[in-house]
Amino acid sequence: MPLSRKIWVYFMAFTVIVFVLLWVSQIFFLEHFYESMKVSDVAQASESIEKAYDELESRAFYDYIEETAVDNDLCIEILDRYGRPIYSCEVLGDCIIHGRGNSISTFWQRIKSSSEGVIYYKVKNPRSNYDMLVYGCEIGGDDYPDGYLLVNSALVPVGSTASIIKRQLKIITAILIVIAFVISLYVSKRIARPITKITESAQSLAKGDFSTEFRGEGYLEVKKLADTLNYAERELLKVDTMQRDLIANISHDLRTPLTMVKAYAELIRDLSGDKPEKRREHLEIIIDETDRLALLVNDVLDLSKLESGKEQLKVSEIDIKEELEEIIQRYKGVSEKRGYHIHLSSDESRMVKCDILKIEQVIYNLINNAINYTGEDRNVYVRQINLKDEVLIEIEDTGDGIEEDKINLIFDKYYRSENHKREVIGTGLGLSIVKAVLKLHNFDYGVRSTKGKGSVFWFKIKCEYDNVQNV
Ligand code: ADP
């Protein structure tokens, strides 16, 4: 059921309950309420008279009785200890203790024979057909009463009053139900409107319109929802833009070697085919370019595999010192030919546990970046620092460093600085692969960089592998 209708239904249900309660109390229980109210009035009046008897002198006491009788519509009779009337106050025209068929002595007898010295009756007045409340009690004296008090109150039939109220209630109910209907309809629409608007915006976002703005009107929860959705939209836009950039980058990086391959293949066909020297040179270029292509395709595949969550680590124990020496050795031939110097400084041998093929990939990616971005001196420093339960690996270059606002972005998928050079091979995926592998291992990692001085990328390999799930 839509929210607006639900709110409306609740509101109407509430109104109906209020009216049902009102009707039940006013019409069906009116008589009951009236009677219990009268009973309590009579009891209170009698109690106060008893008290006044003890406290006031006789003139004032009789004045008090008269006042009470008039105020509460009561007939009051005071009897002496022998049941003889000594003071009478008649307010009701037709009461049961005065008037015809005087029954004072009957009630006096009843008080006397009651164990508590108190009587309370509801009697039908045979003349007026009204119900009468009669209350009687002893007054004064310790062992033997000084006298007796009789109080009579009439219970006026409430039927006619009830029918007046009923008629009024019918009109009020009809008017209020119409008002409640209109108000609840308005309120429910008002509450549901901002949510409906947000739903419409979400639908247009789902269709790919990133300019949609989520407006949170009305109340706090909707404002928060709108803020969250606006944030999600910005994030989606970021990913969308990065994804587009990646495709643009990859297409560009694929096209360049392909163009080269094609150009050199044509050269061999048309010119250098029968000149062995030239042909070899051109073939070398073709091979290099195909390597570049393979690297690109592998990066994309690696990352998608790592991020699919299906990749399982094959953990083994290795000596990290030996491993680093081997890696640096492999670089020697190529990099030193191009004038790069990779300096390794290691602490003593230390056994660590990791998926070595993947950690090698991390080290290669970091060293490749360091070579690509290092300064004129073409130096790259690799350090192995043994810590308590971990080994810290640092790869430092002397390049331009990374701007502070970019540091948080470089590990993001697809992020690539805009001014990367053609000779810098890469897809913008290298550091994303580093991050994915290290996260999978649960290893800490990070980067320190000083603008103009260079950067240090670091990560810590654990000596004991505690991620049981992947062992
Ligand atoms: P790629 O190197 O292919 O562009 P990476 O994911 O390896 O992709 O790096 C992302 C970005 O991080 C690079 O484009 C570059 O701007 C920056 N970066 C990475 N390593 C370094 C470094 N050693 N010095 C300066 N900038 C770096």
Side-chain angles (χ1 to χ4, degrees), residues 12 15-16 19 171-182 184:
M12 289 311 285
T15 315
V16 168
F19 278 110
I171 299 168
I172 294 173
T173 308
I175 293 173
L176 285 188
I177 283 194
V178 172
I179 294 176
F181 180 87
V182 174
S184 60

Side-chain angles (χ1 to χ4, degrees), residues 217-432:
E217 291 162 4
Y219 33 105
L220 193 67
E221 287 83 350
V222 177
K223 273 190 190 122
K224 275 192 182 158
L225 175 65
D227 287 348
T228 315
L229 285 169
N230 280 325
Y231 172 72
E233 185 181 39
R234 284 197 297 278
E235 289 301 303
L236 276 176
L237 180 62
K238 215 156 84 182
V239 171
D240 190 64
T241 319
M242 282 176 161
Q243 218 151 2
R244 275 173 218 274
D245 287 354
L246 171 81
I247 292 172
N249 280 344
I250 293 185
S251 327
H252 175 261
D253 288 349
L254 282 175
R255 203 167 338 111
T256 320
L258 276 176
T259 318
M260 301 272 273
V261 168
K262 185 166 182 243
Y264 280 94
E266 279 170 354
L267 265 181
I268 296 169
R269 183 193 64 193
D270 298 339
L271 293 172
S272 58
D274 37 7
K275 294 178 193 137
E277 202 51 29
K278 278 272 170 223
R279 190 180 59 208
R280 186 172 307 108
E281 195 186 306
H282 292 164
L283 281 172
E284 271 316 320
I285 294 174
I286 290 179
I287 292 167
D288 279 355
E289 292 299 323
T290 14
D291 282 348
R292 200 192 276 264
L293 276 174
L295 189 83
L296 241 139
V297 173
N298 282 342
D299 266 7
V300 175
L301 286 179
D302 282 350
L303 190 65
S304 81
K305 250 197 286 176
L306 280 166
E307 295 209 325
S308 69
K310 287 182 196 131
E311 193 77 349
Q312 292 277 314
L313 294 178
K314 296 178 192 73
V315 178
S316 60
E317 197 172 24
I318 52 129
D319 180 341
I320 189 68
K321 183 181 163 94
E322 257 177 37
E323 185 61 38
L324 284 174
E325 279 166 358
E326 247 172 63
I327 292 175
I328 305 299
Q329 198 55 42
R330 273 178 236 154
Y331 269 101
K332 277 263 148 43
V334 198
S335 57
E336 302 228 320
K337 223 195 287 169
R338 286 162 59 203
Y340 291 99
H341 310 289
I342 303 175
H343 311 272
L344 172 67
S345 77
S346 313
D347 283 352
E348 67 269 25
S349 283
R350 178 66 83 82
M351 299 305 285
V352 293
K353 282 189 180 159
C354 60
D355 182 333
I356 189 56
L357 284 180
K358 295 216 162 43
I359 292 296
E360 265 183 7
Q361 197 179 1
V362 167
I363 300 172
Y364 279 128
N365 282 356
L366 294 178
I367 296 184
N368 286 342
N369 277 351
I371 291 177
N372 287 334
Y373 295 101
T374 198
E376 291 300 310
D377 61 0
R378 302 199 159 195
N379 280 328
V380 170
Y381 302 90
V382 179
R383 283 186 284 274
Q384 172 215 335
I385 302 159
N386 292 351
L387 304 176
K388 192 164 167 269
D389 300 315
E390 292 166 320
V391 174
L392 171 66
I393 309 286
E394 288 188 344
I395 288 110
E396 180 173 0
D397 65 68
T398 59
D400 290 341
I402 305 157
E403 285 144 43
E404 212 159 304
D405 55 328
K406 301 276 158 49
I407 283 209
N408 290 329
L409 297 175
I410 55 170
F411 284 99
D412 273 354
K413 221 184 324 180
Y414 320 134
Y415 175 80
R416 247 196 131 182
S417 66
E418 302 87 33
N419 49 1
H420 69 273
K421 310 162 245 162
R422 157 79 181 121
E423 66 268 22
V424 173
I425 313 169
T427 49
L429 293 178
L431 287 182
S432 321

